Every structure is written in structure tokens, then in C-alpha cells.
Amino acid sequence: MTKESKLILITDILEHKKRKEDELEFYNTELKSLLVKMETLRREVTLTKDIINMIEKEEVKNIT
């Protein structure tokens, strides 16, 4: 093994850090998008349950 191959280059470490930061930013963006979608789905499920309950009980509920 040569002496040069044992060296850890600071540029390699900085590049690795930058890649990880970019990856983290990507996943943060994806997470935000998924959280919005989850909330929308929760609301739709709640609305659907309310509609089913109204139909089963034959009563009208004020939905606002």
C-alpha cells in the first residue's frame, strides 16, 4: 500500500458531506409532501365515514 492511498483527503470528506446534505434536503422535501398527502387522506376518510354514518342512520349532519 502506498503512502498516498492511506491519506484521507479533505476534499473527499467535504464532497461526502455535501452529498449527504443534499440527500437530507431531498428527503425533507419528500417528507413534507407526504405529510400533506396524509392529512388530505385523513380528512377524506373522516368525511367518508361521516357520509356512511349519515346514510346508515338516515339523518343529515351539518358538515363544515
Side-chain angles (χ1 to χ4, degrees):
M1 193 177 258
T2 67
K3 190 173 189 178
E4 187 176 316
S5 66
K6 292 182 183 179
L7 293 176
I8 297 176
L9 299 175
I10 189 73
T11 55
D12 290 342
I13 294 171
L14 290 172
E15 287 172 3
H16 181 75
K17 177 185 163 279
K18 176 66 174 145
R19 281 193 309 272
K20 292 300 176 181
E21 287 173 341
D22 291 345
E23 186 177 8
L24 184 60
E25 182 60 33
F26 169 78
Y27 285 118
N28 264 328
T29 303
E30 290 298 307
L31 177 59
K32 287 176 186 177
S33 173
L34 288 171
L35 289 171
V36 168
K37 289 177 183 178
M38 283 177 58
E39 184 57 32
T40 301
L41 284 172
R42 279 190 188 109
R43 289 179 182 165
E44 288 177 358
V45 166
T46 299
L47 179 60
T48 302
K49 285 179 179 179
D50 287 344
I51 291 170
I52 290 170
N53 284 334
M54 288 184 328
I55 292 170
E56 287 176 346
K57 295 177 181 179
E58 296 181 2
E59 61 184 37
V60 178
K61 182 179 178 182
N62 187 8
I63 299 175
T64 53

